[in-house]
Amino acid sequence: MLKSEILNAPLLAALAKCGHTDIVVIADCGLPLPEGPLVIDLALVQGLPSLDQVLEVLARNMVIENSTLAAEAENGPVQELCLARDLDPDFISHEELKAQLPQAKVIVRTGEATPYANAILHCGVAF
């Protein structure tokens, strides 16, 4: 039996397959999702789970080198959530962020409904 706080088996399996330089995207419920990457849909209802809740768990369970947010989220609540977890984000346009989605190893869809509440997490290495 694996000891992990993450109970969602598909999410845990997907994260276990990530390596250095892979990207994991936390997506709000309105982000258009491309064909290709594995999508783990956690959305239950609008607002649940929130980006904050998912980011908190992933930040505790992944080595994250850095994060990328849409420039439209700069100086807003999404940036504050990242900064609170020592994930000083880089910024690109929302269109550029959407263009990077096909390269994601995993996209975790949340119920978040805040505009531009999407984060690209860049996997690091623990050594």
Side-chain angles (χ1 to χ4, degrees):
M1 180 74 184
L2 183 64
K3 184 178 180 182
S4 172
E5 70 178 304
I6 297 175
L7 300 177
N8 184 290
L11 177 59
L12 188 58
L15 295 176
K17 293 177 184 175
C18 289
H20 189 218
T21 75
D22 284 335
I23 63 173
V24 174
V25 175
I26 303 176
D28 63 29
C29 61
L31 189 68
L33 303 177
E35 293 290 326
L38 175 64
V39 175
I40 307 293
D41 193 343
L42 301 180
L44 181 61
V45 296
Q46 190 169 335
L48 291 176
S50 67
L51 177 120
D52 184 30
Q53 291 169 319
V54 173
L55 182 59
E56 177 68 27
V57 171
L58 293 186
R60 284 196 310 263
N61 288 276
M62 294 174 58
V63 177
I64 302 171
E65 220 169 56
N66 61 349
S67 62
T68 303
L69 305 177
E72 294 85 347
E74 194 166 6
N75 298 317
V78 178
Q79 180 181 6
E80 290 300 319
L81 294 175
C82 287
L83 290 172
R85 289 163 183 84
D86 295 322
L87 299 174
D88 190 18
D90 294 321
F91 295 93
I92 57 177
S93 74
H94 188 58
E95 291 305 313
E96 290 174 293
L97 186 139
K98 289 190 290 186
Q100 289 191 17
L101 295 178
Q103 285 75 50
K105 187 94 170 209
V106 181
I107 299 174
V108 182
R109 183 172 176 263
T110 69
E112 185 64 58
T114 302
Y116 306 109
N118 308 290
I120 297 175
L121 307 178
H122 302 268
C123 297
V125 64
F127 56 88

